[in-house]
Amino acid sequence: MISTSARLLRLLSLLHAHRTWSSRDLSERLGVSTRTVRADIEALRGLGYPVGAVPGPGGGYRLVAGTKLPPLLLDDEEAVAVAVGLRSAATGVVAGIEETSLQALAKLEQVLPGRLRHRVATFTEAVVPIPTAEPTIAVDVLTAIASAAREHQRLRFDYSDHRGAITRRDVEPLRLVHTASRWYLVAWDTDRRDWRTFRADRLEPTIPLGPRFAPREPPATDLAGYVSERTGTAVWEVQARIRLHAPAAAVAGRINPTMGSVTPIDDEHCEFRTGGSSLAVLASYLGLLGVDFEVITPAALVEHVRALGARYQRAADAAG
């Protein structure tokens, strides 16, 4: 006689087969009485599984849609497929679900058997992504960070800043935030006694994780806005104020928060505070906004805009 827990798992597996089972069929499959089958069905319902009863000849029990998501029972193939799909989603293949995909992936990989972890890793290694100009980060690093944040365990890592200087950090991780095409870690720096934001592609975690910690009050309720604020124009080497000849509402949707902020001036103009790695890059970016503009500061940016405009004019003249 198998144990009750094992029998419930077997019963759940049968119900996942997307068919209606009579009490007699289930009792024969499980080797128990129909009375025990009814008791097991009630036990599954108590655990949150929506098991419906279909009346009449040919009726029986089957899983139906419920009001909340119950625990799922996956076989090996399904578990690998879900893990691979979550890894793809976590890298930004589908916008808007990166963070939740990473959280689900961290939970799943924590309980995956070694043989399935190997299959997921083998598949991932066989996929060659098309190179992009954006920074890349291994999903294993993201899941390690996410696991540390979820389990409230201190994280140690080597961090390379924008100048290339490497420092050892010891932090209490709060959350990973995905902004545009980058991942950022919001964490309490135990040495500096303050909240810090780290680019995930610049850190190299040290395993194993550190001791557990008591969660602190977050630095903001809107962590996405908090990260955008701290990683926006303040990190650029060149800062600029631009007067755009368009209402703020008309251009706000085109400007990523990491590239700057838009403030209304009047019904037809707004001020855009932005930055870039160089004046040349900033001049090119402004041209992509698709609206007329005036440079307020710095004055040196005007020369780069003028030079870029002359270059485009020569190209247009050469085309006849």
Side-chain angles (χ1 to χ4, degrees), residues 74-310:
L74 304 175
D75 62 23
D76 287 1
E77 301 299 325
E78 292 167 337
V80 170
V82 171
V84 170
L86 288 173
R87 278 176 169 253
S88 297
T91 58
V93 175
V94 181
I97 64 171
E98 299 90 353
E99 292 180 48
T100 50
S101 298
L102 182 60
Q103 293 168 13
L105 179 61
K107 293 179 181 178
L108 179 60
E109 292 201 340
Q110 186 179 25
V111 297
L112 276 182
R115 67 181 188 281
L116 299 187
R117 286 173 180 260
H118 176 71
R119 289 177 59 182
V120 173
T122 299
F123 181 89
T124 304
E125 291 171 0
V127 176
V128 180
I130 297 176
T132 68
E134 299 297 336
T136 58
I137 178 172
V139 176
D140 290 341
V141 172
L142 288 177
T143 54
I145 299 172
S147 296
R150 183 165 60 90
E151 298 299 325
H152 305 307
Q153 287 185 274
R154 280 169 60 168
L155 184 67
R156 300 183 180 93
F157 54 85
D158 292 328
Y159 189 70
S160 176
D161 64 18
H162 66 281
R163 297 183 180 87
I166 298 177
T167 55
R168 172 62 58 89
R169 300 299 184 96
D170 190 326
V171 305
E172 297 175 359
L174 174 63
R175 281 285 299 276
L176 274 165
V177 177
H178 189 267
T179 304
S181 57
R182 294 178 180 174
W183 283 98
Y184 292 92
L185 168 64
V186 178
W188 175 266
D189 193 311
T190 58
D191 293 328
R192 292 156 180 79
R193 308 301 300 170
D194 195 8
W195 290 101
R196 291 289 190 270
T197 301
F198 304 94
R199 268 180 51 175
D201 58 291
R202 290 178 175 172
L203 64 83
E204 188 174 331
T206 300
I207 305 299
L209 301 176
R212 293 184 181 277
F213 61 88
R216 299 175 184 272
E217 187 70 22
T221 54
D222 178 15
L223 286 181
Y226 174 80
V227 170
S228 295
E229 215 175 277
R230 294 174 69 91
T231 61
T233 58
V235 302
W236 297 116
E237 296 182 12
V238 178
Q239 309 288 318
R241 292 173 56 209
I242 310 298
R243 179 185 173 95
L244 301 181
H245 294 203
V251 297
R254 309 181 210 168
I255 298 174
N256 190 289
T258 61
M259 289 304 300
S261 60
V262 176
T263 304
I265 296 177
D266 53 41
D267 292 342
E268 297 181 354
H269 302 85
C270 61
E271 181 176 316
F272 177 36
R273 291 178 178 264
T274 185
S277 57
S278 69
L279 290 171
V281 169
L282 189 52
S284 300
Y285 174 71
L286 292 173
L288 296 175
L289 293 179
V291 299
D292 291 344
F293 63 88
E294 303 168 34
V295 176
I296 301 175
T297 60
L301 178 58
V302 176
E303 295 303 318
H304 285 267
V305 171
R306 184 177 290 115
L308 188 61

Side-chain angles (χ1 to χ4, degrees), residues 314-320:
R314 288 193 296 271
D317 293 344

